[in-house]
Amino acid sequence: MSNGSLRVGRVLRAGTRGFVIGCTVMQPDIPTFGSFVRADGLKPGSAIFGLIYDVSVEDDPFVRQFISADPPEEVLRDQRENRQVPIEVSVLAVGTSQGLGDETIRHCLPAQPPVTLDWLYQCTTEEIQAFTARFDYFRLVLDAREVPVDELLAASLRVAAVARPEGERETFLVEAGRDLVRLLAGDPVRLEGLLRRLRNL
Amino acid sequence: MTLELSRLTGEVQTMGEALAARERRRADLVALARRWLAEYADQGERLRHPARTASAAIPTDEPLDAVHPLPAIPERFTVIAADGSQIQPDRHGVALYHLINVGSMVYRHGSGEAPEAYSQPAMGYTEADLYEDGLLVAGNLLDVRRDLAEITRLADLSAVEAPGPTGSVRPGRTVALVDGTLILWVLENRSEEWKREKVMAYLDQLRRIRKSGAAVAAFTSRPRRGEVTKLLYLASVNGDENRASQETNPLEHLPDRAIFHDLPAGARSALFISPSSINHDYYVPAGHGVYFFYLNLAEKEHDPVIARIEAPAWVVAAPELLASIHGAVVAQARITGDYPYALTRADELAYVSGREREALTEMVTTALLRAGVRSAPSPKAYYKSLTRRGRRKYPQ
């Protein structure tokens, strides 16, 4: 599965519910909040799909040295372009595919997490379309703890809508809204907030 | 916590008072050392032979108290730095292997370009990698390999970067910097043949750097050596080595850097020759005899920051090369304040964090599993990993 997709970074820590990857500052297109990503599973050809729910830059005492100084241009460029600034990207696991001829995407937690230092890739447009052909992953997101759930759902739907031809986007979002109505029927205030976000996409 | 800090309170307080008292006594010793430095400044030639025998700093033609101001720092020049780190083989680990990671940086002053940063890991896991002379490559054996990897990296980068005899590739001189010392530290209990082979391999890289046209130097931060103080004491007993070895040297525990705290900002001390036996047995005959000087890195009106710089004979013999390492080290150190920027970054690029070590162990375990080999840490390592992460309680 590790085709020519854009690499986001390498897995630092992993569990079945999600994983954290490390990447450098100058990654050309650091995937943003709500992006779909994919890591290789342990079985050949298998994959774990996830949604980015947090991007954080760790404190860097070395950079602090230069905040009040006037460092030369070479240092500024070194800090910006070369330093292994520890950017951590947190991913919520939302699906898997088995590989070995079975390319069906299942919206469930993976049986095993990805291996440390494995690459994490940004999903291609085709993968996003295939993954969001159904909305079973909503339940995994809604049940996630310590994740900005509503914002994440809205952001992922925005990404999924953009991955579709313009003429199909509205239909796609209406279908997603229907699933949310079913899942959040008991929480009308929250549902209204989410649907309002979808209307504004 | 197993360390009962409360039981150390009194001892730590006493230690603080003792250290403060030692500092006060040290001021008198520094005054004595500086008096001797001025008094015996022109006796270098007479002291050269006894200094060698007594393992004291060996004087050069410069007066002992010579002070050389900071030379003009050119607008364009290049500094290359390399540093290494290693993971020792662990017989309690999932597999027997070692790792050497060399970080390096090419910093082109005045170019406005982003410096080039490199990190080169190399694992050793074959029988040939793991054993040498019948011994597991660990400890000093691995240190020697790391030092050789560092200097080889410097030589490789110098060959690309330095102007060389055929003309300039980049504007300005190139200075190659290594952290610590240029003298390969080899344990005395190794065979002479083995020692020679390693040192010669190191000298080969110094020769490559020389051929490239670059200058090379080693940088020691907060040096603790006391070779100049030993020389001054030797001078105070008229160069009598026997007397010097029998009587107590009042400056015995005073590091050289204390004497040179009064160097003006950016200035360097006189040059001395390292008394190390490896220097005289191998480096000097090969034309790479190691010299050293002390240098105040601080800017004017700042507290002095004294570093020790080593350079081979061919650098100190060429005034423009000597000036280039003097100026380059000060320029580099003043970026951060007191330590060369490129060396800081090379160290960072070489450093293997605890988390990275764990990740590598996990990668090795997975690779073994995929290859059909089931492996695990030894019971000792396993239980250490449990107890050192979990809750701890000291005995009541």
Side-chain angles (χ1 to χ4, degrees):
Chain A
M1 288 285 282
S2 311
N3 49 27
S5 316
L6 184 69
R7 284 170 167 176
V8 182
R10 287 185 185 276
V11 175
L12 285 175
R13 309 186 282 281
T16 47
R17 286 165 186 247
F19 32 96
V20 174
I21 60 140
C23 63
T24 54
V25 133
M26 290 308 289
Q27 205 80 30
D29 297 296
I30 289 180
T32 48
F33 177 78
S35 295
F36 288 85
V37 288
R38 171 177 49 76
D40 290 338
L42 284 184
K43 281 190 203 162
S46 65
I48 299 164
F49 293 92
L51 279 173
I52 292 179
Y53 68 86
D54 191 31
V55 180
S56 61
V57 181
E58 286 185 6
D59 189 20
D60 185 351
F62 191 41
V63 167
R64 286 183 184 203
Q65 286 271 111
F66 301 108
I67 284 182
S68 57
D70 185 18
E73 181 66 17
E74 295 85 14
V75 169
L76 288 178
R77 292 195 58 183
D78 184 41
Q79 296 293 328
R80 289 174 184 161
E81 298 174 33
N82 293 335
R83 281 296 300 294
Q84 295 162 344
V85 177
I87 287 193
E88 289 198 354
V89 179
S90 303
V91 176
L92 180 71
V94 288
T96 63
S97 71
Q98 296 303 307
L100 296 174
D102 179 5
E103 300 306 324
T104 313
I105 293 173
R106 292 177 175 80
H107 291 184
C108 60
L109 294 182
Q112 289 175 311
V115 178
T116 309
L117 289 184
D118 261 2
W119 282 105
L120 189 82
Y121 302 90
Q122 185 161 25
C123 284
T124 61
T125 302
E126 292 74 26
E127 285 170 334
I128 296 171
Q129 285 180 10
F131 190 89
T132 52
R134 290 178 300 107
F135 300 111
D136 299 340
Y137 78 94
F138 283 180
R139 189 172 287 282
L140 286 169
V141 178
L142 287 167
D143 288 346
R145 278 170 286 168
E146 294 173 12
V147 169
V149 169
D150 296 0
E151 288 296 336
L152 181 61
L153 270 181
S156 74
L157 287 171
R158 189 182 305 127
V159 172
V162 170
R164 289 173 158 74
E166 211 166 334
E168 296 175 18
R169 288 177 189 169
E170 193 176 336
T171 314
F172 168 77
L173 289 172
V174 168
E175 281 175 18
R178 281 199 188 113
D179 259 59
L180 286 172
V181 168
R182 191 170 51 78
L183 288 168
L184 294 173
D187 193 347
V189 176
R190 189 175 176 193
L191 177 63
E192 190 196 344
L194 250 170
L195 292 178
R196 188 174 294 141
R197 283 189 182 94
L198 292 190
R199 269 197 299 275
N200 295 335
L201 293 182
Chain B
M1 284 171 66
T2 48
L3 178 62
E4 287 187 74
L5 291 172
S6 56
R7 290 192 179 186
L8 295 171
T9 315
E11 207 167 332
V12 168
Q13 197 174 338
T14 311
M15 180 179 132
E17 286 159 9
L19 292 181
R22 196 169 78 187
E23 277 301 304
R24 288 191 290 275
R25 285 197 303 276
R26 208 166 104 151
D28 295 337
L29 295 177
V30 170
L32 174 66
R34 285 184 185 152
R35 200 171 70 236
W36 282 348
L37 186 71
E39 194 174 332
Y40 306 116
D42 58 353
Q43 296 193 22
E45 195 178 341
R46 191 172 67 85
L47 292 167
R48 224 165 273 163
H49 180 73
R52 168 83 204 281
T53 317
S55 291
I58 300 167
T60 60
D61 292 336
E62 294 182 348
L64 304 188
D65 62 350
V67 173
H68 298 266
L70 179 66
I73 297 176
E75 258 179 50
R76 302 289 297 268
F77 62 99
T78 299
V79 171
I80 303 171
D83 202 4
S85 68
Q86 70 270 44
I87 295 179
Q88 298 281 348
D90 180 6
R91 66 190 176 90
H92 292 288
V94 293
L96 200 60
Y97 62 88
H98 64 242
L99 176 126
I100 291 174
N101 194 33
V102 177
S104 53
M105 167 153 281
V106 179
Y107 186 119
R108 302 186 184 101
H109 281 257
S111 69
E113 296 170 13
E116 287 169 22
Y118 306 94
S119 186
Q120 291 185 311
M123 286 180 79
Y125 53 87
T126 64
E127 292 283 310
D129 294 332
L130 287 172
Y131 297 95
E132 197 169 324
D133 231 7
L135 294 171
L136 179 68
V137 175
N140 180 248
L141 289 185
L142 193 57
D143 291 346
V144 167
R145 285 198 186 183
R146 186 207 55 217
D147 289 349
L148 284 170
E150 287 173 13
I151 198 74
T152 304
R153 182 67 187 147
L154 275 186
D156 291 346
L157 289 170
S158 297
V160 175
E161 202 66 24
T166 51
S168 181
V169 176
R170 294 266 175 193
R173 288 212 164 271
T174 298
V175 171
L177 273 186
V178 66
D179 185 47
T181 175
L182 286 175
I183 297 175
L184 189 68
W185 185 67
V186 185
L187 279 182
E188 288 301 321
N189 61 359
R190 309 295 306 153
S191 73
E192 199 55 44
E193 188 186 347
W194 186 89
K195 204 188 294 184
R196 169 171 289 278
E197 183 194 322
K198 300 300 169 193
V199 177
M200 287 305 166
Y202 195 94
L203 295 180
D204 235 20
Q205 301 307 321
L206 288 183
R207 185 188 52 73
R208 285 182 64 211
I209 296 173
R210 182 181 190 179
K211 193 177 165 197
S212 75
V216 64
F219 178 96
T220 307
S221 176
R222 197 180 287 179
R224 289 210 51 82
R225 285 177 190 256
E227 291 163 347
V228 176
T229 52
K230 201 180 266 187
L231 172 70
L232 294 176
Y233 172 62
L234 190 64
S236 75
V237 293
N238 293 318
D240 184 341
E241 308 138 44
N242 291 328
R243 211 182 130 194
S245 64
Q246 284 159 8
E247 294 175 10
T248 306
N249 174 3
L251 307 180
E252 193 177 353
H253 301 298
L254 187 70
D256 292 346
R257 71 168 194 277
I259 311 172
F260 297 110
H261 256 250
D262 61 351
L263 281 170
R268 74 160 172 88
S269 72
L271 283 164
F272 300 92
I273 301 168
S274 167
S276 149
S277 60
I278 289 185
N279 190 29
H280 291 276
D281 294 345
Y282 302 101
Y283 283 64
V284 171
H288 300 291
V290 173
Y291 289 62
F292 69 90
F293 59 84
Y294 288 90
L295 175 58
N296 182 5
L297 305 166
E299 299 201 48
K300 273 182 192 163
E301 289 163 26
H302 281 68
D303 287 343
V305 180
I306 305 298
R308 175 182 160 119
I309 312 298
E310 289 182 356
W314 48 270
V315 169
V316 300
E320 70 282 8
L321 288 185
L322 182 57
S324 73
I325 61 168
H326 183 168
V329 166
V330 172
Q332 273 282 309
R334 286 183 179 176
I335 295 172
T336 58
D338 44 21
Y339 189 82
Y341 180 85
L343 272 179
T344 309
R345 291 282 287 113
D347 168 78
E348 182 183 37
L349 291 158
Y351 177 65
V352 182
S353 68
R355 192 191 276 182
E356 287 164 337
R357 277 170 202 250
E358 284 176 17
L360 180 61
T361 305
E362 201 175 315
M363 274 174 78
V364 170
T365 310
T366 308
L368 288 169
L369 269 177
R370 280 175 178 160
V373 179
R374 189 173 287 275
S375 181
S378 74
K380 178 180 172 174
Y382 174 68
Y383 285 105
K384 271 188 180 178
S385 75
L386 296 184
T387 56
R388 291 185 178 187
R389 285 183 187 185
R391 287 174 291 181
R392 291 185 288 166
K393 191 170 188 296
Y394 51 78
Q396 297 299 313

